Amino acid sequence: MPSHLETVQEIYNAFAEGDIDTVLAAFADDITWVEAEGGPYGGSYNGPKQVVENVFGPINEEWDEFRVEPDRFIADGDTVVATGTYSGVYVETGEQFEAPFAHIWDLTDGQVVHFHQHIDTVLHNEPLNTTA
């Protein structure tokens, strides 16, 4: 079985390749996914289906060139923290953004049971509120 760190790294690699099936396969059926309040997808979602409907689906529809690029991982027991940078172009306005993130991943038996996003929501919301 891969380490928790390897599992999280594979999730980022699969997401970058657009392989959402591999991403979802790493999620527990009862995963709790928390997006930063005040951000475009802010809230808490339960189960892979809600994550797809409320986060992954809207990202795919609303952003061009959306990237999640981790640059550092810290693993401690069942928790992995990843820091990095989001970037993309909001389709409706054509405006680009870049913002640092921190993600906290908690795993049990090789599956993600909890995810918590931390991001500067002002930076993430800027392209949404600009008229091109």
Side-chain angles (χ1 to χ4, degrees):
M1 179 184 305
S3 70
H4 293 322
L5 174 61
E6 291 168 333
T7 297
V8 169
Q9 289 172 324
E10 177 57 29
I11 290 169
Y12 285 107
N13 290 337
F15 190 86
E17 294 171 7
D19 184 358
I20 300 304
D21 289 338
T22 296
V23 173
L24 297 176
F27 292 0
D29 291 339
D30 61 349
I31 186 175
T32 300
W33 185 279
V34 180
E35 290 281 310
E37 287 296 330
Y41 314 110
S44 182
Y45 308 105
N46 298 306
K49 182 178 178 186
Q50 284 193 359
V51 175
V52 169
E53 290 173 353
N54 295 289
V55 183
F56 294 169
I59 287 171
N60 188 52
E61 293 171 13
E62 298 171 1
W63 295 89
D64 281 334
E65 303 172 29
F66 188 83
R67 295 205 181 6
V68 181
E69 298 176 320
D71 58 23
R72 184 173 182 199
F73 294 94
I74 304 163
D76 183 22
D78 292 336
T79 301
V80 177
V81 176
T83 61
T85 305
Y86 287 126
S87 63
V89 176
Y90 192 62
V91 172
E92 191 173 313
T93 62
E95 294 294 319
Q96 185 174 348
F97 94 110
E98 188 173 294
F101 69 76
H103 294 159
I104 301 171
W105 302 83
D106 292 308
L107 296 91
T108 300
D109 298 327
Q111 289 202 298
V112 179
V113 295
H114 188 265
F115 168 89
H116 199 126
Q117 173 206 53
H118 298 271
I119 183 173
D120 183 335
T121 57
V122 171
L123 291 176
H124 199 182
N125 283 320
E126 280 180 354
L128 283 63
N129 302 317
T130 304
T131 53

